[in-house]
């Protein structure tokens, strides 16, 4: 199965995403901010990343911009998971390089389906 990075500063959401994806057999690396997400991607490139947009310090948008700027990570599939649901927020997310955008509150089943679809397209 896939190695998936999950970055969210909300412990409950991070653990929910980690639990749901690990039940599908994926290997999950969980971190609490964007800077740690970028470092984890550099250290051991995952197959997919799920990033919260609003994290203190280094946001998910900051992280995705860095990921897209690095040749070794540029094609990494990224899903943004966020409470920001305005059309302009979604647009900003895709403009930053996101492959998918899921708004909170979200269905764990929908998240799992989108992760599987993105992994299938990436391989």
């Amino acid at each position: 199965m896939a190695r998936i990075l999950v970055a969210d500063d909300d412990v409950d959401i991070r653990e929910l995403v980690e639990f749901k994806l690990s039940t599908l057999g994926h290997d999950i690396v969980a971190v609490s901010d964007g800077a740690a997400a970028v470092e984890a991607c550099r250290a051991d490139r995952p197959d997919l990343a799920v990033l919260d947009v609003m994290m203190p310090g280094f946001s998910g948008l900051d992280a995705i911009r860095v990921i897209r700027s690095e040749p070794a990570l540029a094609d990494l599939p990224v899903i943004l998971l966020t409470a920001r649901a305005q059309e302009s927020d979604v647009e900003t997310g895709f403009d930053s390089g996101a492959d998918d955008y899921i708004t909170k509150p979200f269905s764990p089943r929908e998240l799992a389906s989108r992760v599987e679809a993105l992994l299938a397209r990436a391989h």
Side-chain angles (χ1 to χ4, degrees):
M1 293 257 87
R3 179 179 169 78
I4 301 174
L5 172 77
V6 176
D8 199 310
D9 60 318
D10 183 319
V11 171
D12 294 333
I13 291 181
R14 193 168 65 236
E15 288 179 351
L16 172 65
V17 172
E18 191 174 357
F19 174 77
K20 181 61 183 176
L21 298 179
S22 63
T23 61
L24 298 173
H26 297 300
D27 179 25
I28 309 301
V29 175
V31 298
S32 61
D33 63 65
V38 170
E39 288 309 311
C41 287
R42 286 175 177 151
D44 192 2
R45 182 192 152 112
D47 297 300
L48 184 140
V50 179
L51 306 176
D52 179 23
V53 170
M54 295 185 299
M55 293 183 282
F58 208 75
S59 75
L61 293 175
D62 295 330
I64 198 170
R65 288 181 187 116
V66 171
I67 288 167
R68 292 291 177 246
S69 73
E70 297 191 9
L73 300 173
D75 62 345
L76 175 70
V78 177
I79 295 174
L80 290 178
L81 183 64
T82 179
R84 302 189 68 134
Q86 297 292 323
E87 192 175 323
S88 61
D89 295 320
V90 176
E91 210 173 282
T92 300
F94 282 117
D95 287 348
S96 298
D99 295 287
D100 204 348
Y101 194 98
I102 301 173
T103 55
K104 298 174 187 175
F106 64 95
S107 151
R109 180 181 280 159
E110 180 187 3
L111 172 67
S113 296
R114 291 187 186 212
V115 163
E116 295 300 326
L118 202 48
L119 286 170
R121 280 200 310 265
H123 293 308

